[in-house]
Amino acid sequence: MKVLAVTKTLSRGGSATGARNTILALQNAGAEVVVLDGDSARSEAAVSFARLAERVYERALHGSYVHCLRLGPALFNLEELCERHRPDIVQLFDLSGNTISFDQLSRLAAPVVQRLSDFWPYNGPDHYAESYPERRSAQRWLLERTIYSGQARPDLLIAPSHWLADRLSVGPTKVIRNAVTPVAGIKSRTGHSTPVRFGFISNPVHDPRKGL
């Protein structure tokens, strides 16, 4: 099986960790994975300038968790990539920063799956909006007209938790827990009667978007 994996980044944030672990799990299962990392991709000067202008506008007027504007072509052309690599499955991860053009999804021959780390863009322009905004706003208007109209989306969305899946405004969605890279040298214990205690570390631990 050949998988085309597309993501904004493989080096920054929790979504990048989820993407790397998923890719590793696919490879360990025997899949041939073609990885496209937006951070490593070379783009024309005009496209780079458009990405910079988009982000300056978004952060200045709407905040760091909002992506709502596209001024130029997307970083990757999915139709051309699928024609070149002929994948059996297209696996998407974080697509913010105009990594792809969503309207191309309906024209791909291969099924499309996306692993989500937050709600963007399916609950609107804010990455952590737990429902689609009912009130019309400039950022919602821009998102629907320049990035994501809602007409084309992946065939299946993968959420790492029921908390995220239950709050998505679209479907179909399947919950698959995060793939975790095993730590070398740790051996399992059998016959131990003491209860196992688990700890959770987050910054901040009481942030409601962590779903705790």
Side-chain angles (χ1 to χ4, degrees):
M1 180 176 69
K2 189 173 186 179
V3 179
L4 178 65
V6 182
T7 184
K8 173 186 176 181
T9 178
L10 283 173
S11 58
R12 294 178 285 117
S15 62
T17 301
R20 291 196 306 270
N21 288 346
T22 301
I23 290 168
L24 181 60
L26 288 169
Q27 292 171 333
N28 286 340
E32 175 189 354
V33 185
V34 178
V35 180
L36 295 172
D37 173 12
D39 280 351
S40 302
R42 294 182 179 180
S43 57
E44 297 178 0
V47 175
S48 297
F49 179 79
R51 294 294 92 85
L52 176 61
E54 292 159 1
R55 201 64 191 123
V56 168
Y57 166 81
E58 291 164 343
R59 292 181 70 95
L61 273 72
H62 305 295
S64 60
Y65 293 142
V66 169
H67 282 90
C68 62
L69 177 64
R70 192 178 81 193
L71 297 174
L75 179 60
F76 294 122
N77 186 318
L78 279 182
E79 291 182 278
E80 291 183 358
L81 290 169
C82 286
E83 182 66 25
R84 183 190 314 164
H85 296 289
R86 303 284 182 174
D88 298 296
I89 295 176
V90 176
Q91 170 69 66
L92 306 176
F93 298 99
D94 177 15
L95 301 175
S96 57
N98 294 309
T99 304
I100 68 162
S101 177
F102 279 87
D103 60 8
Q104 291 187 333
L105 296 181
S106 61
R107 300 194 292 271
L108 302 182
V112 181
V113 178
Q114 183 179 4
R115 179 201 177 273
L116 300 175
S117 292
D118 54 50
F119 301 104
W120 192 89
Y122 307 109
N123 281 11
D126 189 321
H127 280 253
Y128 303 109
E130 295 185 27
S131 62
Y132 201 88
E134 296 182 2
R135 184 177 63 85
R136 302 294 295 182
S137 64
Q139 59 189 29
R140 176 181 163 182
W141 187 89
L142 286 169
L143 176 80
E144 293 174 351
R145 282 158 181 78
T146 68
I147 297 177
Y148 175 69
S149 66
Q151 299 301 309
R153 57 177 178 261
D155 298 293
L156 180 64
L157 299 173
I158 302 297
S161 68
H162 288 283
W163 176 82
L164 196 157
D166 292 344
R167 288 162 176 77
L168 274 176
S169 298
V170 299
T173 306
K174 182 177 178 61
V175 175
I176 299 178
R177 301 297 184 184
N178 284 323
V180 178
T181 304
V183 179
I186 293 182
K187 298 180 180 180
S188 63
R189 298 177 181 177
T190 58
H192 201 284
S193 59
T194 303
V196 178
R197 296 182 178 181
F198 291 91
F200 183 86
I201 300 175
S202 173
N203 183 23
V205 71
H206 296 299
D207 187 337
R209 68 182 173 87
K210 299 296 183 182
L212 299 177

